């Protein structure tokens, strides 16, 4: 998509411009004019001679030369004809403000489909429909009906919710947030978040990107783009739909399909995206990423004139996995020279209630100069003697001298307002509550660490074909998959599953099937004791559900007894098990029950899962996820993200589990789903692991 | 403590009153006068004739009749003499504003001790030292040097940090928070949080209590008082010291000793306290508890003019364990009659961007009338046509008609300000961000549920002596404890531990001790195979650390081999094990490894712990806590608080664990620590549990 002059047009037409101040077509035209747009402005309205002192045109084709951008603010029923007519007149760029498309139900959905056809046929660039328009502050163009225009600055903001745009603009007007772009995406018939990301990647006016998305259009492309761009500019994202209830609401709002929360979280973390958990976080994150320096590490110093708040801040620092900076002796002795004897020389540094701006300055110079300090949070409470504005000015002065992030919390309302104004003017991120400063700092640290960990990993997420094993009997495996797809629940049988696992050389214990007690005994003899006996039936995906698993059968009497018991279960008609047989496996002794899984997201592809297995999987959810493909080193990183890793790496004198073997199974799993992409879901549970081996004791595959 | 006229004096003296506006002694006098105090006001300053138009006295004894309250604003060095002199003149009530006591180090600590002696000897009521004073808005008395005075209202606030007081007052001046009392506690030499709680319990001017505490003075008394008062009025508490770093800072701030976070959390939950996790929460909690009704359940309806924000709110509702209200058919058909066809009739209810106040009103009437809705959150974004003030007025009107909590989030800055003002005037809790409204609502729900669960449980936390078993050989057990206390690490030996467990009839497997292989064999024969063999030594509290545990020894060859292996370990001099022997126990088969523990808090007494045992204890920390004593029904509730309960109650066809037996062990543990209160810490890990039994396989006691 060539969006070169979409956001920087030399001329703009407003189709549906109006003289009625209640109408959106009036609001947009007024915003363009009042924004001091330097290009040409053309109202289009057959019923008017002129609007807001600009001569009006009956139709867009009458305008010569043709405008670079057409903004459509007409009732939905008129939109298609207008776009078609304009496209025929060779207009390429459109904002469609009008609502009444897929967000309003079947009728609107049909209209949107028809519109999409025109867009494709004439190769149009369209923002919307059902949007607010856009603002490009550096081009002095407010092509929206938002009633507020933002400060010029480095943030490029795009939102799939128009209402959120108006609220964000209104909030931002009070603070220090400056924007370069402000884009309301609407239903995303044409221009999507990816187009914007690619546009903003090399735009010098953009230092930080923020997105509100209810759905992501092209998962893999989004992932690749954000992974690349995150290395250059921070990308903040807020995305609802983590609950089923919210997903339902999304589909009736913008008609988007929300991605499952686990997939989203994985994508965000793999792409280095800054995940704002709520609207307040979004603001805090924009505030620090647009205005603060990145910290070099996790050591935070707190300087305040208030003991209580500085202690609360300390708690939050530790809670957020940051550290209280361990001040060096040198700094402490320097502080001792300058500060009154009553002050405890430590971090958090409480300068005590009567601290004037000079005391703040002396202390801050030492603290900012201290090597071990990576970031400073400055608290101020309005005591009787507190020099609020002077202290703000001291902070401004020092912030220019030192290359460390400085965040402030001037606590209170009216009393601190003038100090806050000084901080705002000089773009020092200030927070009403100190704990919020800590939260925002945490995000800066996380982003810095992501950048560091990505260094030297050029294009580190590549769909590396070379890493995929060559499987000779792929056609046969695909036949198995095809057969499975015919089944209602899509589950492969144990026989089919084992066949696939063997083809990929997964480590599985010796096994065999039998249909009766005699067969079980023969098979057990063949495999060798001790064995495990299980009921195998596509109708029983969780084998243990009916008590269908008998372990540690170490003599033939036990084997025979177990076979009888299982026979009673399978022959119980209420269980309704079809196509059952006995599965006999060699009993494996292991120290750890783990789980490896994979699940296919329709938009982002396969997610690989690793974690604690057995009965604990569901209650502790100690699981880590990563998108396939998975390189071997990614596999080890994945293992280390779980809590169970603390046990696997050797615990209280126990042997370390064979992490290399676990990694190999993870890598094989990634290859499996890359080669057989029709696999919807798989579970290796338990994966039995000792210091020697990692063996898949049970497996389920759904296609 | 008789505080009857402390906070409602008929006359007040300010010792150290000053004509210098920079001095605190001036600020306080001015505040009293400007607050329009109706009683008598006496400045005390030997150097002045009059101050702020009030005649000044040379010393307090000169004032007749004696004032009810003396406020001391003198340098620390003069405080003791002044208090002593005033006490001799029969003054009973003091606020000591002066700093320079235990918060400044050893010298100050000595001064504070000397002051305490005078306080005790003359039976004085003292607020402070090192405090800001207090404000009683209903008595029109601002006896503090805070520069702002709060709105009159129902919140009684007390804080151990003076700086926090000034910030809270300043913040509050902007919002809807009204206060009855505002008390700066300082170093709490006399008046403590408990005295205030008891005072406020029956004060009709107090509807809600909020506390900032760095330390709690008398744990058990605090617990009993808050448990009782919480049933009448909500008590909000914010308390730092959850991290070691914060605890260090606390001891250098007010010299308090912070209680361990787990104990605090347990106390808060058992006493129904509303725990504000940070300062922003404190504000939100005060806002809703002082102004909103309590919800009858967890069903929330969201009404908005903005799709995106209402979806974000929905996510937060689910995240907070609340529910989206399932609207009934009747309500939906009523809404259908009144609302435009374009609107999706569901909860969250998006009234769409062009919603005027009438649409809000029609929708809200139906939603508020709906039986299944327990609480309503109303969102508003400033669209071009939005009637912000009219919508606020509609909400005010409806809030008076319906007995359900209504919380609003008018989103934005300048545009929504006038609407917010209307909401504030009528005490509708409004939040800048919708997710914060959800968080505050969650606290209302939790408090309501705590009240409900406490119904019929009059004085439900009683130190019930009757529930304690009578142990005949208590003197002998106390001898064991005494012996243990002589040891460096305080651990009892396994022999001693088992003796105590037997005396209390705890379920333990048959066991015996031996000093060599021959003894092991004899003992194993006596106990019966299979057995477990362990190294027993006070120097090895974690027996498995050196590989000192051999399980499932089911023949004598294995027993002999295991004894040899352990002998090699104990004789390895680098392990440095003194007084070792072999411990032989009957092998127990069980489905579950659990843990029961107890720990003594110096302030609150014993905490009982239950949770997942074995190696998972430390990584998943799936533990629940309760203060002793523990009744049998409490024990079951404790078990149900853990995640492992999901497995214990029967999982995937497995038998339910014997929860009754687990409860008995918990109850016995409670009795044990109540009878032998010198026990500092104990661990039963693992507690082996099957569908039949609960058996303590290993135990550690530290005294």
């Amino acid at each position: 998509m060539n969006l070169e002059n979409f956001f920087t047009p030399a001329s703009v037409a407003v189709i549906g411009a109006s003289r009625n101040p209640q109408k959106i077509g009036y609001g947009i035209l007024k915003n363009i004019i009042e924004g001091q747009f330097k290009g040409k402005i053309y109202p289009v309205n057959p019923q008017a001679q002129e609007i807001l002192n600009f001569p009006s045109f009956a139709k867009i084709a009458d305008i010569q030369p043709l405008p670079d951008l057409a903004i459509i603010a007409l009732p939905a029923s008129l939109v298609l004809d207008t776009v078609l007519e304009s496209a025929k007149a060779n207009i390429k760029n459109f904002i469609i403000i009008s609502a009444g498309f897929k967000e309003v139900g079947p009728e609107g959905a049909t209209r949107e489909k028809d519109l999409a056809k025109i867009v494709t046929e004439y190769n149009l660039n369209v923002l919307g429909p059902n949007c607010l328009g856009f603002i490009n502050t550096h081009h002095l163009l407010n092509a929206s009906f938002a009633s507020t225009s933002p400060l010029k600055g480095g943030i490029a903001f795009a939102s799939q919710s128009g209402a959120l745009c108006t609220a964000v603009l209104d909030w931002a007007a009070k603070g220090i947030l400056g924007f370069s772009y402000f884009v309301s995406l609407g239903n995303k018939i044409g221009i999507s978040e990816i187009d914007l990301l690619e546009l903003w990647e090399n735009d010098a006016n953009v230092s930080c990107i923020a997105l509100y998305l209810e759905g992501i259009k092209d998962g893999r492309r989004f992932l690749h783009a954000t992974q690349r761009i995150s290395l250059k500019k921070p990308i903040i994202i807020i995305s609802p739909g983590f609950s089923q209830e919210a997903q339902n609401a999304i589909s009736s709002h913008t008609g988007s399909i929300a991605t499952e929360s686990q997939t989203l979280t994985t994508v965000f973390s793999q792409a280095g995206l800054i995940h704002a958990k709520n609207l307040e976080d979004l603001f805090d994150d924009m505030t620090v990423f647009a205005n603060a320096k990145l910290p070099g590490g996790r050591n935070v110093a707190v300087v305040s004139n208030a003991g209580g708040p500085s202690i609360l801040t300390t708690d939050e620092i530790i809670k957020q996995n940051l550290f209280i900076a361990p001040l060096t002796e040198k700094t402490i002795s320097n502080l001792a020279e300058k500060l009154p004897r009553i002050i405890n020389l430590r971090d958090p540094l409480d300068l005590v209630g009567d601290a004037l701006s000079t005391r703040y300055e002396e202390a801050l110079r030492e603290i900012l100069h201290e090597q071990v300090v990576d970031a400073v949070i400055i608290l101020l409470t309005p005591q009787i003697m507190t020099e609020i504005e002077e202290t703000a000015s001291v902070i401004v002065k020092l912030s220019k001298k030192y290359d460390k992030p400085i965040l402030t919390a001037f606590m209170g309302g009216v009393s601190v307002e003038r100090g806050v104004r000084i901080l705002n003017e000089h773009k020092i991120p200030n927070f009403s509550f100190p704990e919020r400063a800590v939260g925002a700092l945490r995000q800066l640290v996380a982003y810095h660490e992501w950048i560091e960990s990505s260094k030297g990993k050029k294009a580190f997420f590549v769909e590396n074909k070379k890493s995929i094993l060559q499987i000779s009997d792929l056609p046969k495996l695909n036949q198995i998959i095809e057969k499975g797809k015919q089944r209602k629940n899509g589950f492969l049988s144990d026989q089919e599953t084992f066949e696939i696992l063997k083809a990929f050389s997964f480590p599985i214990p010796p096994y065999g099937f039998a249909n009766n007690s005699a067969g079980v005994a023969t098979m057990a003899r063949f495999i060798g004791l001790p064995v495990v006996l299980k009921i195998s039936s596509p109708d029983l995906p969780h084998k243990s559900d009916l008590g269908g698993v008998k372990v540690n059968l170490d003599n033939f009497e036990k084997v025979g007894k177990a076979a009888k018991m299982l026979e009673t279960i399978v022959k119980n008609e209420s269980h309704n098990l079809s196509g059952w047989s006995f599965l006999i496996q060699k009993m494996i002794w292991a120290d750890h029950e783990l789980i490896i899984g994979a699940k296919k997201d329709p938009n982002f592809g396969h997610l690989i899962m690793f974690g604690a297995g057995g009965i604990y999987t569901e209650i502790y959810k100690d699981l880590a996820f990563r998108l396939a493909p998975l390189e071997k080193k990614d596999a080890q990183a994945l293992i280390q993200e779980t809590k169970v890793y603390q046990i696997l790496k050797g615990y209280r004198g126990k042997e370390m589990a064979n992490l290399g073997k676990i990694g190999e199974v993870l890598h094989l799993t990634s290859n499996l789903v890359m080669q057989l992409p029709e696999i919807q879901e798989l579970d290796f549970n338990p994966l039995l692991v000792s210091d020697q081996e990692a063996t898949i004791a049970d497996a389920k595959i759904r296609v």
Side-chain angles (χ1 to χ4, degrees), chain A residues 232-517:
Chain A
K232 304 180 191 170
K233 318 184 167 182
I235 304 173
I236 302 159
I237 188 157
I238 180 165
S239 186
F242 281 76
S243 61
Q244 189 54 50
E245 290 80 351
Q247 287 183 19
N248 298 344
I250 284 173
S251 76
S252 74
H253 179 226
T254 42
S256 299
I257 293 159
T259 304
E260 268 191 43
S261 61
Q262 190 53 63
T263 311
L264 270 195
T265 311
T266 308
V267 170
F268 293 172
S269 111
Q270 275 185 254
L273 299 180
I274 296 125
H275 182 193
K277 302 267 187 326
N278 54 50
L279 287 170
E280 197 174 16
D281 279 359
L282 173 67
F283 269 78
D284 289 354
D285 293 345
M286 289 196 291
T287 301
V288 290
F289 280 100
N291 299 301
K293 290 147 191 159
L294 283 183
R298 296 192 181 199
N299 283 338
V300 188
V302 179
V303 178
S304 81
N305 69 343
S310 78
I311 295 167
L312 290 166
T313 308
T314 300
D315 261 342
E316 188 69 20
I317 285 170
I318 301 303
K319 193 174 140 201
Q320 298 267 8
N321 262 314
L322 301 172
F323 310 131
I324 288 292
L327 302 181
T328 55
E329 300 248 339
K330 176 105 177 51
T331 299
I332 287 175
S333 76
N334 289 350
L335 286 170
E337 270 174 39
K338 286 168 183 162
L339 298 179
R341 206 166 55 89
I342 189 177
I343 291 172
N344 282 295
L345 302 171
R346 58 191 324 287
D347 181 13
L349 184 60
D350 176 6
L351 300 175
V352 189
D354 61 352
L356 302 181
S357 61
T358 48
R359 194 183 296 167
Y360 266 102
E361 179 163 3
E362 281 167 340
L364 282 170
R365 271 190 199 285
E366 291 303 326
I367 295 288
L368 282 161
H369 189 257
E370 164 70 270
Q371 280 277 341
V372 302
V373 169
D374 297 311
V376 181
I377 295 179
I378 305 168
L379 313 185
L380 177 143
T381 55
Q383 314 278 342
I384 284 196
M385 57 292 283
T386 309
E387 298 172 343
I388 296 170
E389 290 158 83
E390 291 86 339
T391 306
S393 301
V394 160
I395 294 168
V396 167
K397 185 172 71 182
L398 293 175
S399 77
K400 289 178 180 151
K401 227 188 120 176
Y402 293 93
D403 199 29
K404 291 177 182 179
I406 297 177
L407 280 60
T408 61
F410 275 36
M411 298 162 65
V414 181
S415 303
V416 298
E417 252 169 25
R418 287 167 68 180
V420 171
R421 208 170 302 145
I422 293 171
L423 296 170
N424 283 352
E425 273 166 25
H426 294 87
K427 305 289 184 190
I428 307 284
N430 180 62
F431 299 82
S432 296
F433 297 96
E435 297 96 337
R436 294 215 66 85
V438 179
L441 179 60
R442 186 68 190 86
Q443 295 278 45
L444 287 178
V445 168
Y447 178 63
H448 170 76
E449 290 180 352
W450 182 83
I451 298 256
E452 288 296 310
S453 75
S454 306
K455 269 187 184 161
K457 275 205 215 172
K458 258 181 215 166
F460 61 99
F461 184 88
V462 175
E463 322 261 318
N464 189 350
K465 292 287 176 197
K466 274 187 289 183
S467 79
I468 296 177
L469 292 176
Q470 291 310 317
I471 303 296
S472 54
D473 41 7
L474 214 46
K476 199 175 148 207
L477 302 183
N478 273 317
Q479 275 171 22
I480 293 176
I481 303 271
E482 279 311 311
K483 236 171 83 189
K485 282 168 76 177
Q486 309 307 321
R487 277 179 218 130
K488 212 174 132 198
N489 62 11
F491 279 110
L492 301 189
S493 72
D494 287 328
Q495 285 89 338
E496 293 164 339
T497 301
F498 284 126
E499 201 154 331
I500 291 177
L501 297 188
K502 277 195 297 184
F504 278 80
S505 308
F506 277 98
I508 51 176
Y511 71 95
F513 292 91
N515 295 317
N516 52 40
S517 299

Side-chain angles (χ1 to χ4, degrees), chain A residues 216 218-220 222-223 259 263-264 267 601-606 627-628:
Chain A
I216 290 168
D218 179 345
R220 286 274 157 167
F222 178 83
L223 183 66
T259 304
T263 311
L264 270 195
V267 170
D601 179 272
N603 199 5
F604 287 96
H606 284 95
L627 286 159

Side-chain angles (χ1 to χ4, degrees), chain A residues 550-567:
Chain A
K550 301 288 167 192
V551 300
N552 198 18
L553 308 173
D554 55 6
N555 62 48
F556 288 100
E557 194 193 332
K558 284 188 190 170
V559 172
K561 236 166 119 183
K564 281 229 170 65
M565 286 172 72
L566 295 194
E567 207 153 19

Side-chain angles (χ1 to χ4, degrees), chain A residues 573-603:
Chain A
E573 287 187 3
S574 69
H575 293 151
N576 209 8
L577 298 180
S578 68
W580 68 269
S581 55
F582 292 112
L583 166 59
I584 306 100
Q585 288 177 295
K586 180 87 180 170
M587 174 83 191
I588 301 283
W589 296 104
D591 303 319
H592 311 281
E593 288 197 10
L594 303 171
I595 186 172
I596 285 176
K599 194 170 182 184
K600 187 176 186 175
D601 179 272
N603 199 5

Side-chain angles (χ1 to χ4, degrees), chain A residues 628-644:
Chain A
L630 201 69
E631 299 294 324
K632 281 192 179 152
K633 64 173 182 302
D634 297 332
Q636 290 305 321
L638 186 65
I639 295 168
Q640 290 173 22
E641 278 172 28
T642 59
K643 288 183 186 157
V644 75

Side-chain angles (χ1 to χ4, degrees), chain A residues 179-190:
Chain A
F179 293 85
S180 44
Y181 292 90
F182 212 93
V183 181
S184 167
L185 283 163
N187 295 5
K188 304 198 286 194
I189 201 173

